[in-house]
Short mmCIF file of all heavy atoms in Angstrom, two decimals:
data_model
loop_
_atom_site.label_atom_id
_atom_site.label_comp_id
_atom_site.label_asym_id
_atom_site.label_seq_id
_atom_site.Cartn_x
_atom_site.Cartn_y
_atom_site.Cartn_z
N LYS B 575 21.89 -25.80 -22.12
CA LYS B 575 23.27 -25.41 -22.41
C LYS B 575 23.46 -23.96 -22.37
O LYS B 575 24.19 -23.40 -23.18
CB LYS B 575 23.77 -26.03 -23.71
CG LYS B 575 23.74 -27.59 -23.76
CD LYS B 575 24.33 -28.14 -24.95
CE LYS B 575 24.34 -29.68 -24.94
NZ LYS B 575 23.06 -30.28 -24.71
N ARG B 576 22.76 -23.32 -21.35
CA ARG B 576 23.00 -21.99 -21.14
C ARG B 576 23.22 -21.67 -19.69
O ARG B 576 22.64 -22.51 -18.85
CB ARG B 576 21.74 -21.16 -21.57
CG ARG B 576 21.62 -20.96 -23.10
CD ARG B 576 20.12 -20.66 -23.48
NE ARG B 576 19.69 -19.43 -22.92
CZ ARG B 576 18.41 -19.12 -22.74
NH1 ARG B 576 17.48 -20.03 -23.01
NH2 ARG B 576 18.12 -18.00 -22.18
N PRO B 577 24.02 -20.68 -19.30
CA PRO B 577 24.32 -20.51 -17.94
C PRO B 577 23.07 -20.12 -17.15
O PRO B 577 22.09 -19.57 -17.66
CB PRO B 577 25.34 -19.36 -17.85
CG PRO B 577 25.16 -18.66 -19.24
CD PRO B 577 24.70 -19.72 -20.14
N ILE B 578 22.97 -20.43 -15.85
CA ILE B 578 21.85 -20.23 -14.97
C ILE B 578 21.32 -18.81 -15.06
O ILE B 578 20.08 -18.64 -15.27
CB ILE B 578 22.10 -20.68 -13.60
CG1 ILE B 578 21.98 -22.22 -13.54
CG2 ILE B 578 21.07 -20.04 -12.55
CD1 ILE B 578 22.29 -22.76 -12.19
N PRO B 579 22.13 -17.72 -14.95
CA PRO B 579 21.56 -16.47 -14.88
C PRO B 579 20.91 -16.06 -16.25
O PRO B 579 19.98 -15.26 -16.40
CB PRO B 579 22.72 -15.54 -14.60
CG PRO B 579 23.95 -16.35 -14.81
CD PRO B 579 23.56 -17.76 -14.54
N ALA B 580 21.40 -16.81 -17.39
CA ALA B 580 20.79 -16.49 -18.62
C ALA B 580 19.37 -17.13 -18.74
O ALA B 580 18.50 -16.71 -19.60
CB ALA B 580 21.65 -17.02 -19.79
N VAL B 581 19.11 -18.19 -17.99
CA VAL B 581 17.91 -18.81 -17.94
C VAL B 581 16.86 -18.17 -17.14
O VAL B 581 15.72 -18.09 -17.42
CB VAL B 581 18.01 -20.35 -17.57
CG1 VAL B 581 16.66 -21.00 -17.58
CG2 VAL B 581 18.97 -21.08 -18.48
N GLY B 582 17.43 -17.51 -16.07
CA GLY B 582 16.53 -16.67 -15.29
C GLY B 582 15.94 -17.37 -14.09
O GLY B 582 15.87 -18.58 -14.04
N LEU B 583 15.27 -16.58 -13.24
CA LEU B 583 14.60 -17.09 -12.07
C LEU B 583 13.08 -16.59 -12.02
O LEU B 583 12.87 -15.45 -12.50
CB LEU B 583 15.28 -16.57 -10.79
CG LEU B 583 14.71 -17.11 -9.53
CD1 LEU B 583 15.00 -18.62 -9.34
CD2 LEU B 583 15.43 -16.45 -8.28
N THR B 584 12.22 -17.54 -11.73
CA THR B 584 10.87 -17.15 -11.70
C THR B 584 10.67 -16.12 -10.52
O THR B 584 11.52 -16.08 -9.58
CB THR B 584 9.98 -18.35 -11.53
OG1 THR B 584 10.40 -19.04 -10.44
CG2 THR B 584 9.98 -19.19 -12.71
N THR B 585 9.54 -15.49 -10.52
CA THR B 585 9.27 -14.47 -9.49
C THR B 585 8.60 -14.98 -8.27
O THR B 585 7.66 -15.78 -8.31
CB THR B 585 8.35 -13.33 -10.18
OG1 THR B 585 8.92 -12.98 -11.38
CG2 THR B 585 8.21 -12.16 -9.22
N PHE B 586 9.13 -14.61 -7.09
CA PHE B 586 8.46 -14.99 -5.87
C PHE B 586 7.30 -13.90 -5.58
O PHE B 586 7.52 -12.75 -5.83
CB PHE B 586 9.44 -14.94 -4.63
CG PHE B 586 10.50 -16.06 -4.75
CD1 PHE B 586 11.77 -15.65 -4.95
CD2 PHE B 586 10.20 -17.41 -4.54
CE1 PHE B 586 12.75 -16.61 -5.05
CE2 PHE B 586 11.23 -18.28 -4.63
CZ PHE B 586 12.45 -17.92 -4.93
N ARG B 587 6.20 -14.45 -5.09
CA ARG B 587 5.09 -13.59 -4.80
C ARG B 587 4.57 -13.89 -3.48
O ARG B 587 4.72 -14.98 -2.91
CB ARG B 587 3.99 -13.73 -5.83
CG ARG B 587 4.42 -13.50 -7.28
CD ARG B 587 3.26 -13.45 -8.26
NE ARG B 587 3.78 -13.49 -9.62
CZ ARG B 587 4.31 -12.52 -10.21
NH1 ARG B 587 4.46 -11.34 -9.73
NH2 ARG B 587 4.86 -12.63 -11.54
#
Side-chain angles (χ1 to χ4, degrees):
Chain B
K575 298 186 173 55
R576 285 160 61 204
I578 283 179
V581 180
L583 184 65
T584 53
T585 310
F586 295 109
R587 299 187 195 285

